[in-house]
Amino acid sequence: MAYPAALLSDVPEPFKSESAGGSGIHMHHKFVVIDFDLPTARVYTGSYNFSIAADEDNGENLWCFDDRRIAVAYMIQAVTMFDHYEWRDAHAKVPGGKLYLKTPPAPGGATWFDEDFSDPQKIKDRVLFS
């Protein structure tokens, strides 16, 4: 899990103050993307927390966009966020916080991306997100 506090030591202003959340308030995304690559694409977003309290007790808003272009834009944001937090998690696990690219394989050797072309689910993901 990556937390904003992990970035405080090497972050310039104004991002350093923002990552600390000011007075304890953190901005966060809440959205659901459905069928971004189909004509039935939808995005649900707003303050709604997808919980019983949101349904029964809180004053929440929930917007639905049924525009494929908007769904694609939100999907790109979702993948960007996922990649960013995956990097932050890897960065936090490395002593000294330095990440290095892997050495290229010898000609004809196995690569880190071989499974993207052999695993059926990864093949589908690669085609879907390309």
Side-chain angles (χ1 to χ4, degrees):
M1 181 58 103
Y3 296 95
L7 298 178
L8 291 179
S9 62
D10 297 321
V11 181
E13 289 295 348
F15 306 106
K16 187 172 188 170
S17 297
E18 181 179 327
S19 69
S23 60
I25 299 169
H26 292 281
M27 181 182 205
H28 59 281
H29 290 52
K30 294 182 219 172
F31 61 88
V32 175
V33 181
I34 300 171
D35 296 338
F36 77 94
D37 62 330
L38 299 174
T40 55
R42 299 282 185 278
V43 175
Y44 295 93
T45 187
S47 66
Y48 186 76
N49 283 309
F50 300 96
S51 67
I52 293 172
D55 283 343
E56 298 176 358
D57 300 324
N58 300 341
E60 306 280 355
N61 65 67
L62 181 64
W63 293 75
C64 176
F65 297 99
D66 61 354
D67 184 309
R68 189 172 179 186
R69 293 172 303 165
I70 293 173
V72 167
Y74 268 85
M75 193 65 216
I76 290 168
Q77 177 66 9
V79 171
T80 300
M81 290 169 56
F82 181 85
D83 287 347
H84 174 75
Y85 281 104
E86 185 175 37
W87 175 85
R88 284 175 59 177
D89 186 52
H91 183 267
K93 291 177 181 174
V94 174
K98 292 192 178 197
L99 298 173
Y100 297 94
L101 294 175
K102 290 182 179 180
T103 304
T111 66
W112 60 267
F113 54 83
D114 284 344
E115 64 188 33
D116 296 325
F117 293 86
S118 59
D119 180 279
Q121 183 59 53
K122 291 192 175 194
I123 291 170
K124 288 178 185 177
D125 290 347
R126 184 175 48 80
V127 171
L128 177 65
F129 292 110
S130 64

